[in-house]
Amino acid sequence: MSTLKVYNSYSREKEEFVSLVPGHVGMYVCGPTVSGESHLGHARPYVTFDVIYRYLMHLGYKVRYVRNITDAGHFEEEGREAEDKISKKAVIEKLEPMEMVQKYTNLFHWAMQQFNCLPPSIEPTATGHIVEQIGMIEEIIKAGFAYEVKGSVYFDVKKYAESHDYGKLSGRIVEDLLTTTRELEGQDEKQNKTDFALWKAAPPQHIMRWKSPWGEGFPGWHIECSAMSTKYLGKQFDIHGGGMDLLFPHHESEIAQSTICNHVAPVRYWIHNNMITINGRKMGKSYNNVIKLTELFSGDHPILEKAYSPMTVRFFILQTHYRSTLDFSNEALQAAEKGLKRLMEAYEWLKELPVSQLPVSGDGQQTDNELDERCAKLIGELDEFMNDDFNTAKVLANIFELVPVINTIKDKNVSGGGLSVETLKLLQSQMKLYVEDILGLKGETAAEGDKLKSVMDVLISIRKEARARKDWATSDKIRNQLAEAGILLKDEKDGNISWTVK
């Protein structure tokens, strides 16, 4: 079997993957900023790294997958002004900041479940690690690579670049950055335009604030990930992932902070997925093409001709290699929908085929040697493609060449359809492994069942609340209308409510 090779964004080369600790992998992926609802741009990185997570476990690694939740800060270093997205959105929505954070975190988790993404091993929050962030900032100041101005702390990029290769990950040149960085609010505090904030002093009206050695304020975006990755994966770990939009300034800044604080380069393999476009255009508010995941699943967006199921979207994402640009369009999604249906129908039938009951080769079993060899080759290449930088596009191409073989067996009702029992068993096991376990695809019937469970959880929760406030009319209405729809509720002695479909 070939060894796993991954494209390292830092070296810009495919490298053989060798974990720091044999048999173990530490992987950190930048999670969402929960100041709003997850959109289409969030779908690609989390589906991509879910497959990478699944494949590493398939190879036998014990993986610690850390994906954070940014629930504080994330102000824009290169935006209109330095602003805390969480606080700003909380004011707009008239919610407590952490109430809003919880709302959008729940929606993000719901969307990941719809995509059949496995939960990470650890999901730390920025607000839960303020102490660690302050500790790192103190170490960076002590090392002489950060300075405090009016309660804010900035990282000294120019000084760092004198002894370190700042800009290597993103391909930026420090001298160019010094001359091209835009004049922004707060720039007069900095010694150099390129310096980035580790801690920001909170103005009087700022809602989210914490005490620090420099006064009350909130953390910079970049320091959050350095603090959380160091705490849970150590000073150096195997894989750091995210979208290409995070290369600069976020990941470049992470490298600088962590290297100074921990005296070692933090990451061995940087993995970045490419961007998505919609009908050939970059996603952006000005184009009115930012599609929320709830809109994608419901079809409730002017660009969308219809609703697309989470499995269709997952399948569509995996049809393209993660380092290639991916363009969403109605035509492409509808083609993916048809392709997924064809694949899952063949797979579900194959899964139920009692291969063990078929006659063995030479015992009444007719084998087409050429077909048998071709199928064995297609199956054997699946591992090779995944080991070549997780090439799901080639994996799916091979699987689609196997679908007509499965359909031939099905349509002709021929035992084995020309394949030896050995190849047929291999086909059955490898299709299960790749379709379900590695690519994380499931039939729409299963997906619909998950949706029904989610809906029932909501209705049962509403009914429990109604019963708690003795609103028997609402409680009975929910029970009776569900009964009319063929779903029976049962009130258990422990206060829980179970349900069955008639």
Side-chain angles (χ1 to χ4, degrees), residues 134-287:
I134 290 173
M136 283 195 90
I137 296 168
E138 288 177 318
E139 288 297 315
I140 296 167
I141 292 173
K142 196 186 299 181
F145 285 86
Y147 55 90
E148 185 257 334
V149 182
K150 300 176 186 174
S152 293
V153 182
Y154 296 96
F155 188 91
D156 191 338
V157 170
K158 191 174 182 181
K159 181 176 179 180
Y160 176 81
E162 289 170 2
S163 54
H164 298 80
D165 198 356
Y166 186 83
K168 182 176 178 181
L169 178 70
S170 58
R172 308 288 178 108
I173 299 169
V174 175
E175 288 73 19
D176 292 347
L177 292 172
L178 286 167
T179 57
T180 59
T181 305
R182 288 171 290 170
E183 290 292 343
L184 303 172
E185 184 181 319
Q187 288 284 6
D188 56 335
E189 290 184 352
K190 301 180 183 182
Q191 292 176 5
N192 303 292
K193 293 178 181 179
T194 54
D195 296 348
F196 57 85
L198 298 169
W199 187 264
K200 244 347 224 186
Q205 73 276 13
H206 202 86
I207 307 172
M208 296 182 84
R209 56 206 300 138
W210 290 266
K211 290 180 180 178
S212 80
W214 318 285
E216 288 196 351
F218 55 97
W221 172 27
H222 317 309
I223 196 68
E224 296 173 0
C225 287
S226 284
M228 289 184 278
S229 62
T230 299
K231 177 163 184 173
Y232 296 110
L233 297 174
K235 294 180 178 180
Q236 190 177 53
F237 54 95
D238 296 299
I239 296 171
H240 194 316
M244 281 181 67
D245 57 321
L246 299 179
L247 276 164
F248 186 87
H250 187 48
H251 290 162
E252 201 74 74
S253 301
E254 274 191 66
I255 292 172
Q257 296 163 161
S258 297
T259 300
I260 292 303
C261 192
N262 298 327
H263 313 292
V264 65
V267 178
R268 285 162 58 88
Y269 304 92
W270 285 91
I271 300 178
H272 292 90
N273 64 276
N274 211 323
M275 297 294 94
I276 66 161
T277 54
I278 298 178
N279 297 320
R281 275 184 163 175
K282 184 179 176 182
M283 192 167 66
K285 290 179 182 176
S286 59
Y287 297 127

Side-chain angles (χ1 to χ4, degrees), residues 283-484:
M283 192 167 66
K285 290 179 182 176
S286 59
Y287 297 127
N288 193 31
N289 65 354
V290 177
I291 304 173
K292 296 173 184 174
L293 293 179
T294 50
E295 293 171 336
L296 188 64
F297 301 156
S298 67
D300 187 21
H301 191 282
I303 289 175
L304 300 173
E305 291 177 4
K306 55 174 286 190
Y308 299 101
S309 75
M311 278 303 105
T312 295
V313 178
R314 183 181 179 103
F315 174 71
F316 177 65
I317 289 169
L318 297 178
Q319 279 185 302
T320 301
H321 189 268
Y322 76 89
R323 284 193 291 113
S324 300
T325 305
L326 178 63
D327 186 57
F328 276 78
S329 67
N330 284 286
E331 294 76 17
L333 282 165
Q334 285 165 29
E337 188 175 56
K338 289 176 184 173
L340 176 63
K341 185 172 184 288
R342 185 164 169 262
L343 164 61
M344 295 311 296
E345 283 176 352
Y347 168 63
E348 293 293 345
W349 182 86
L350 176 69
K351 196 162 66 167
E352 300 304 318
L353 182 66
V355 174
S356 59
Q357 296 173 22
L358 293 177
V360 297
S361 301
D363 186 18
Q365 172 78 356
Q366 294 299 312
T367 301
D368 180 335
N369 291 331
E370 188 177 331
L371 178 64
D372 200 66
E373 287 174 14
R374 187 170 76 84
C375 284
K377 181 176 181 292
L378 289 167
I379 296 164
E381 286 174 341
L382 300 178
D383 287 347
E384 288 179 34
F385 294 150
M386 282 302 287
N387 282 334
D388 184 17
D389 195 30
F390 312 107
N391 200 328
T392 58
K394 286 189 174 180
V395 166
L396 281 169
N398 268 33
I399 286 174
F400 266 93
E401 285 197 54
L402 292 165
V403 167
V405 178
I406 298 169
N407 287 337
T408 298
I409 302 169
K410 178 183 175 183
D411 295 341
K412 293 185 178 179
N413 199 23
V414 177
S415 295
L419 298 185
S420 66
V421 171
E422 293 78 9
T423 302
L424 202 52
K425 283 181 178 178
L426 183 65
L427 175 62
Q428 203 171 48
S429 65
Q430 290 298 99
M431 285 287 281
K432 159 75 168 68
L433 171 66
Y434 271 90
V435 172
E436 287 189 34
D437 302 342
I438 294 174
L439 299 181
L441 298 170
K442 56 184 180 180
E444 293 301 326
T445 304
E448 290 300 324
D450 289 347
K451 284 182 186 176
L452 176 59
K453 183 181 180 302
S454 296
V455 170
M456 288 304 301
D457 288 345
V458 171
L459 287 171
I460 286 171
S461 175
I462 293 169
R463 187 165 181 267
K464 279 183 177 178
E465 289 172 6
R467 288 168 67 84
R469 61 176 184 267
K470 298 186 171 17
D471 180 1
W472 309 118
T474 300
S475 173
D476 291 345
K477 184 178 180 181
I478 291 171
R479 185 192 60 205
N480 295 339
Q481 290 194 357
L482 283 173
E484 289 174 14

Side-chain angles (χ1 to χ4, degrees), residues 89-140:
K89 192 72 182 293
V91 171
I92 293 169
E93 295 203 14
K94 294 183 173 60
L95 295 171
E96 276 289 326
M98 295 314 292
E99 186 180 2
M100 189 197 68
V101 160
Q102 192 65 54
K103 170 185 172 182
Y104 290 123
T105 300
N106 290 346
L107 267 172
F108 171 71
H109 287 156
W110 172 82
M112 293 305 102
Q113 288 171 358
Q114 304 313 300
F115 284 131
N116 199 28
C117 290
L118 300 174
S121 316
I122 301 173
E123 192 175 56
T125 63
T127 55
H129 296 78
I130 299 294
V131 171
E132 288 83 357
Q133 293 170 67
I134 290 173
M136 283 195 90
I137 296 168
E138 288 177 318
E139 288 297 315
I140 296 167

Side-chain angles (χ1 to χ4, degrees), residues 1-14:
M1 183 176 170
S2 57
T3 55
L4 174 62
K5 289 189 175 181
V6 301
Y7 182 86
N8 189 344
S9 302
Y10 194 79
S11 65
R12 291 172 177 73
E13 291 180 354
K14 280 186 192 175

Side-chain angles (χ1 to χ4, degrees), residues 45-66:
Y46 303 127
V47 168
T48 295
F49 288 99
D50 179 62
V51 171
I52 290 175
Y53 179 34
R54 288 167 178 268
Y55 190 66
L56 289 169
M57 289 193 292
H58 160 65
L59 292 179
Y61 288 106
K62 181 173 173 54
V63 184
R64 177 176 285 181
Y65 174 19
V66 182

